[in-house]
Amino acid sequence: MPSAPLPSAPAELSGDAEVVRALLRRRAEGSKPLAREDGHRIALVVGGGGMRGAYAGGMVHALETAGLSDAFDVVYGVSAGAFVGTALVLGHGYDASRIFPDDMACKEFIDPRRLGTRKPMVSLDHLIDHILVHVKPTDWDALRDSPVPVRVVVTDAADMTPHMLERLPDRDTWKRVMRATASIPWLAGPPVLVGDRRYLDGSVSDPMPVARALRDGATHVLALLTRTVPELRRSDPGPRPPLWARGIDVVVPGLGAMTQDVRRHADSLDLLSDAAHPGRGDAHLMAIAPARSAGVRGLTTDVARIEEAVVLGREAVVAALQAVSVP
């Protein structure tokens, strides 16, 4: 059964210290993917949120620095979280922490002046075809062959249902899927064709796939949150959607509200906050969230705030690891 709550976890969440203990035991034993002896299946779930991914970037860098990259059996990534999760699997944790302030906080990537033009405000072309090719190259072939699968959440544009894509055959398919998990009409580009379906941003349908990880057989789940717990708990996003969300609604009625409504996290938060939740079974769940907000939102380009978010993400992981002892 789940162990006692982790002392340093946010008060609103039930942090199960056994998740961290299992990771630390694997590190101590030199456990490697596909050669486990503990019978566990440990999943890492990385949430999205645009430039809020800077928090997760700092978290992933801290996990890698702590020598825990090899301790996971599967990684689930949504939108920006897919890029961050990929970096952990490839051993690019430092790049995950630096890509947001160094390479994405710029007009080449986010430019509100493109509103009202035929070009999206967020340039996934710049991210996928420039940054991830020339500045911080991604080895897509290594990702294909990785013993730790990265499962990317996308949303079917036809019916807004979540789908999981993994073990993709080549770099072109990987790039299309990574584009798809971050694509939002009018804001970041149209749905992306993969196979015979068109997909868009995975966070629209499943922003934190904790329940999916459990259904897939995870015995332990570590979820990296890109908002503080109070931000996630807030059910009302405000009296009026922001301009970009209203623009999306013009293209796809209702989609703008879906993309910015924090209530989409409710089911996952229920799982993470209730140690007796029937959906948990005997699994161990833990969430790591920033202790406070750096004021970073999905389209923030303020480098100082983004740098602070990276630090807060790193500090959150360090605190969680330091709070646990391994017998």
Side-chain angles (χ1 to χ4, degrees), residues 59-264:
M59 293 174 186
V60 158
H61 184 210
L63 288 171
E64 182 177 279
T65 301
L68 297 174
S69 299
D70 286 340
F72 297 97
D73 299 299
V74 60
V75 173
Y76 295 80
V78 184
S79 193
F83 293 90
V84 173
T86 293
L88 179 70
V89 168
L90 295 178
H92 297 169
Y94 177 76
D95 285 351
S97 71
R98 298 310 312 164
I99 191 170
F100 292 94
D102 291 352
D103 307 303
M104 295 169 65
C106 62
K107 285 183 167 53
E108 289 81 6
F109 181 56
I110 299 174
D111 191 349
R113 294 176 301 180
R114 291 195 286 263
L115 286 172
T117 72
R118 293 182 178 273
K119 296 181 179 180
M121 189 197 326
V122 177
S123 176
L124 295 178
D125 287 345
H126 182 69
L127 172 60
I128 293 173
D129 296 326
H130 175 69
I131 296 175
L132 297 181
V133 172
H134 302 293
V135 183
K136 291 179 172 60
T138 296
D139 188 343
W140 302 106
D141 293 331
L143 187 61
R144 177 197 63 202
D145 299 331
S146 170
V148 178
V150 177
R151 295 180 173 171
V152 181
V153 181
V154 293
T155 300
D156 192 322
D159 58 14
M160 296 298 163
T161 57
H163 293 260
M164 201 72 59
L165 303 179
E166 63 173 316
R167 299 296 187 190
L168 305 171
D170 52 57
R171 65 178 60 208
D172 289 339
T173 306
W174 268 111
K175 290 170 73 173
R176 285 201 303 275
V177 168
M178 299 300 279
R179 181 185 295 271
T181 193
S183 290
I184 297 177
W186 192 76
L187 179 65
V192 178
L193 183 65
V194 181
D196 59 356
R197 294 187 178 186
R198 293 186 179 276
Y199 297 107
L200 48 80
D201 194 315
S203 62
V204 170
S205 58
D206 194 357
M208 183 59 62
V210 174
R212 180 175 291 270
L214 294 177
R215 291 195 300 270
D216 290 346
T219 60
H220 300 65
V221 178
L222 178 64
L224 305 184
L225 307 183
T226 58
R227 292 172 174 84
T228 65
V229 174
E231 287 174 318
L232 287 169
R233 286 295 188 197
R234 186 186 58 189
S235 62
D236 183 3
R240 187 174 181 179
L243 175 61
W244 62 264
R246 300 199 300 271
I248 294 171
D249 278 333
V250 172
V251 181
V252 183
L255 180 59
M258 290 179 68
T259 61
Q260 57 91 43
D261 189 349
V262 295
R263 283 173 291 186
R264 291 173 297 127

